């Protein structure tokens, strides 16, 4: 594996400080040196390393997506996602995994698969080099109840092959379900604790009993697995904290009790609201029959307002809010994920710096990799992006693939920057 020396780059190192001009040396899989250079200073070449003159480009850690569904296939309904035959579906997942890397997401946290083993197979294929994709944590299907979010079976066709989620009722079935996914090799169990208005079960409704949730968490922990919850309702958010569910997706409807609980346990949880889903379902899904009036009728406009207020309150209380959430619907296609960062700035009131940190420094613990990723520091794994422009001045540029000049994962270029004669890159004027 060739070593790489980036020179003349503006380094955002993930620590929250202003970027600085310098050099970054990558040797093998790791970042081995980060040095500041002063203006006009020439960097010393490193023997055996390919030298890339960054011409002032912005160098930052690869981004980490906290709520990813490779198997959502950019369709407008759960049925349309689930009914894809398994053979086509696994190919779809492989193609989408590459798309995430193309767009600068070098790590993704799987948040549920549309069939039992899709996530596990893709994670394994990425890890053994069969396919190209980001670092990935594999999830189970969504665990749900009869009639709940993810039970897409018809009354006369109750076979589980027709179900989007894994349907259980009672503690014994829950235990069996968790064990089955543990056997398949998932990293995390996904449990649907609240409804989702588009499916007919309102977002503020909750499903499962406390006993069923307790069994899920106990059994998952016994197998060393993490639990993540779809939790839009206030009751479901509180259950996540009371029962130790580490990853909370959506968290739209909070009250003071929920916020106090979250704040008291803020280093034990991650929140990924998936604002793009709410915004686009509310306002940009007319082409698929969900006009703004229809969305309002479903309650999404009210939920969007509630979610934004909840995220503002969580931000004030120092609760970790991460990007990602249900990309892979027709109106939130895969690859547009950096819109979440724009919404964090425009809607939640984060500074661009906070938004960048939510996609980098906080992503390491979300991936259960601590500080090995999410930083440009000596000893960290070399997941690196080279950006044309300054995301701290305009966070939206991260949505533009043309501005993502290079993507490196694990010390190897997924996409190398355009290099001209004598190793000098010249993309800026
Ligand atoms: Zn989701």
């Amino acid at each position: 594996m060739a070593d790489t020396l980036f020179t003349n780059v503006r380094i955002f190192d993930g620590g929250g400080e202003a970027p600085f001009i310098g050099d970054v040396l990558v040797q093998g899989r790791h970042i081995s040196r980060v040095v500041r250079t002063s203006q006009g200073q020439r960097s010393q070449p490193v023997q055996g390393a390919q030298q890339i003159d960054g011409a002032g480009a912005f160098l930052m850690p690869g981004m980490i997506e906290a709520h990813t569904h490779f198997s959502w296939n950019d369709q407008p309904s759960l049925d349309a996602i689930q009914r894809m035959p398994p053979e086509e579906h696994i190919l779809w997942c492989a193609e989408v995994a590459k798309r995430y890397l193309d767009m600068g997401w070098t790590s993704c946290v799987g948040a549920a698969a549309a069939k039992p083993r899709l996530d596990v197979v893709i994670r394994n294929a990425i890890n053994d080099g069969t396919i190209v994709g980001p670092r990935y944590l594999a999830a189970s299907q969504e665990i749900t109840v009869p009639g709940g979010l993810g039970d897409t079976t018809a009354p006369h066709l109750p076979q589980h092959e027709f179900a989007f989620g894994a349907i259980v009722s009672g503690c014994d079935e829950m235990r069996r379900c968790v064990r089955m996914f543990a056997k398949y090799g998932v990293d995390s169990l996904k449990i649907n604790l609240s409804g989702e208005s588009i499916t007919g079960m309102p977002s503020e409704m909750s499903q499962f009993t406390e006993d069923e949730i307790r069994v899920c968490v106990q059994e998952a922990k016994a197998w060393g697995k993490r639990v993540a919850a779809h939790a839009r309702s206030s009751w479901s958010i509180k259950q996540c904290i009371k029962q130790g569910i580490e990853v909370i997706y959506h968290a739209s409807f909070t009250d003071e009790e929920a916020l106090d609980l979250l704040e008291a346990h803020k280093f034990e949880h991650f929140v990924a609201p998936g604002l793009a889903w709410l915004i686009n379902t509310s306002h940009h899904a007319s082409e698929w029959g969900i006009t703004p009036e229809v969305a309002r009728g479903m309650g999404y406009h009210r939920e969007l307002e509630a979610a934004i207020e909840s995220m503002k309150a969580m931000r004030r209380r120092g609760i970790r809010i991460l990007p990602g959430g249900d990309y892979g619907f027709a109106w939130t296609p895969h690859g547009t994920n950096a819109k979440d960062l724009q919404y964090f700035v425009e809607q939640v009131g984060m500074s661009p710096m906070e938004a960048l940190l939510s996609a980098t420094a906080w992503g390491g613990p979300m991936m259960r990799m601590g500080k090995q990723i999410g930083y440009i520091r000596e000893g960290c794994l070399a997941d690196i992006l080279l950006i044309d422009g300054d995301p701290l001045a305009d966070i939206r540029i991260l949505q533009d693939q043309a501005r993502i000049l290079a993507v490196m994962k694990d010390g190897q270029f997924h996409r190398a920057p355009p290099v001209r004669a004598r190793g000098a890159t010249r993309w800026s004027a």
Side-chain angles (χ1 to χ4, degrees):
M1 194 188 295
D3 298 338
T4 305
L5 175 66
F6 296 94
T7 62
N8 192 19
V9 283
R10 274 187 78 209
I11 301 166
F12 168 77
D13 74 356
E17 309 297 325
F20 56 90
I21 300 284
D23 298 349
V24 175
L25 177 63
V26 173
Q27 290 182 299
R29 300 171 62 208
H30 293 90
I31 296 166
S32 58
R33 204 173 73 197
V34 181
V35 290
R36 287 171 191 264
T37 54
S38 47
Q39 210 80 46
Q41 189 182 334
R42 287 188 71 87
S43 309
Q44 290 301 314
V46 174
Q47 193 157 25
Q50 177 194 18
Q51 186 167 331
I52 290 172
D53 178 351
F58 191 91
L59 184 145
M60 61 176 278
M63 296 188 289
I64 297 132
E65 226 272 1
H67 178 166
T68 316
H69 302 288
F70 287 157
S71 55
W72 282 201
N73 54 13
D74 290 352
Q75 291 290 315
S77 71
L78 297 188
D79 260 341
I81 292 170
Q82 201 273 340
R83 296 294 159 85
M84 192 178 225
E87 297 83 355
E88 282 85 350
H89 218 156
I90 198 72
L91 288 175
W92 167 271
C93 294
E95 199 278 322
V96 164
K98 177 181 167 294
R99 206 184 304 173
Y100 275 77
L101 216 42
D102 288 340
M103 294 306 295
W105 301 94
T106 50
S107 295
C108 292
V109 177
K115 294 186 175 71
R117 293 181 60 247
L118 290 175
D119 255 22
V120 168
V121 171
I122 286 293
R123 178 203 60 199
N124 294 350
I126 291 170
N127 288 347
D128 70 18
T130 306
I131 64 167
V132 168
R135 303 176 192 283
Y136 194 59
L137 294 181
S140 67
Q141 277 175 293
E142 299 189 344
I143 302 174
T144 188
V145 302
L149 165 59
D151 177 4
T152 49
T153 59
H156 66 298
L157 292 169
Q159 292 88 337
H160 68 88
E161 288 84 358
F162 290 109
F164 184 81
I167 303 165
V168 304
S169 198
C171 292
D172 285 349
E173 287 187 21
M174 176 65 86
R175 199 179 296 282
R176 181 179 182 81
C177 181
V178 173
R179 287 172 175 170
M180 181 189 74
F181 283 117
K183 168 182 165 176
Y184 293 164
V186 301
D187 298 300
S188 71
L189 281 303
K190 171 71 175 294
I191 181 168
N192 286 349
L193 294 185
S194 79
E196 174 72 61
S197 300
I198 199 172
T199 66
M201 185 187 200
S203 299
E204 281 173 278
M205 255 182 84
S206 303
Q207 48 186 47
F208 283 116
T209 63
E210 289 194 58
D211 283 343
E212 288 167 323
I213 300 167
R214 187 172 302 114
V215 167
C216 177
V217 175
Q218 274 177 355
E219 197 63 34
K221 287 189 175 165
W223 288 84
K225 309 297 180 187
R226 168 192 262 173
V227 183
H230 173 96
R232 293 193 181 275
S233 69
S234 180
W235 185 86
S236 66
I237 299 164
K238 292 173 201 170
Q239 282 297 312
C240 289
I241 302 138
K242 288 176 182 168
Q243 304 230 31
I245 294 177
E246 188 182 3
V247 181
I248 308 174
Y249 290 136
H250 308 302
S252 303
F253 295 102
T254 54
D255 54 19
E256 279 303 298
E257 187 193 1
L259 290 169
D260 288 347
L261 273 169
L262 259 176
E263 187 176 2
H265 298 270
K266 61 181 160 190
F267 297 116
E268 295 153 43
H269 297 277
F270 300 92
V271 174
L275 289 181
W277 158 264
L278 285 177
I279 290 169
N280 288 298
T281 305
S282 295
H283 299 294
H284 305 296
S286 297
E287 198 181 322
W288 297 275
I290 305 171
T291 61
E293 293 68 40
V294 170
R296 184 184 297 280
M298 290 176 175
Y300 278 116
H301 290 215
R302 202 169 60 80
E303 178 169 353
L304 176 57
E305 275 175 38
I308 288 169
E309 288 311 309
S310 291
M311 292 313 128
K312 284 180 177 170
M314 286 187 211
R315 175 177 170 263
R316 282 194 296 272
R317 290 168 183 249
I319 292 153
R320 293 176 293 192
I321 304 169
L322 280 69
D326 287 325
Y327 288 88
F329 275 84
W331 50 92
T332 52
H334 289 294
T336 59
N337 308 56
K339 273 188 186 293
D340 266 40
L341 303 180
Q342 178 188 344
Y343 297 143
F344 283 172
V345 172
E346 291 176 359
Q347 309 282 341
V348 180
M350 287 189 192
S351 64
M353 174 65 81
E354 287 175 85
L356 269 194
L357 292 174
S358 79
T360 54
W362 296 349
M366 182 65 187
M367 279 294 291
R368 295 199 151 171
M369 294 182 73
K371 293 192 171 184
Q372 289 181 80
I373 57 171
Y375 294 91
I376 303 296
R377 290 189 179 157
E378 288 166 20
C380 291
L381 288 163
D383 290 1
I384 295 174
L385 309 181
L386 212 50
I387 308 292
D388 175 15
D390 184 357
L392 293 170
D394 183 357
I395 196 78
R396 293 173 304 175
I397 65 174
L398 293 171
Q399 298 168 37
D400 181 358
Q401 190 176 333
R403 307 291 289 269
I404 304 171
L405 300 167
V407 179
M408 175 179 270
K409 175 194 154 197
D410 234 4
Q412 280 190 299
F413 279 117
H414 166 62
R415 188 165 69 249
V419 177
R420 292 201 180 157
R422 284 170 294 152
T425 28
R426 279 289 173 264
W427 43 75
S428 53

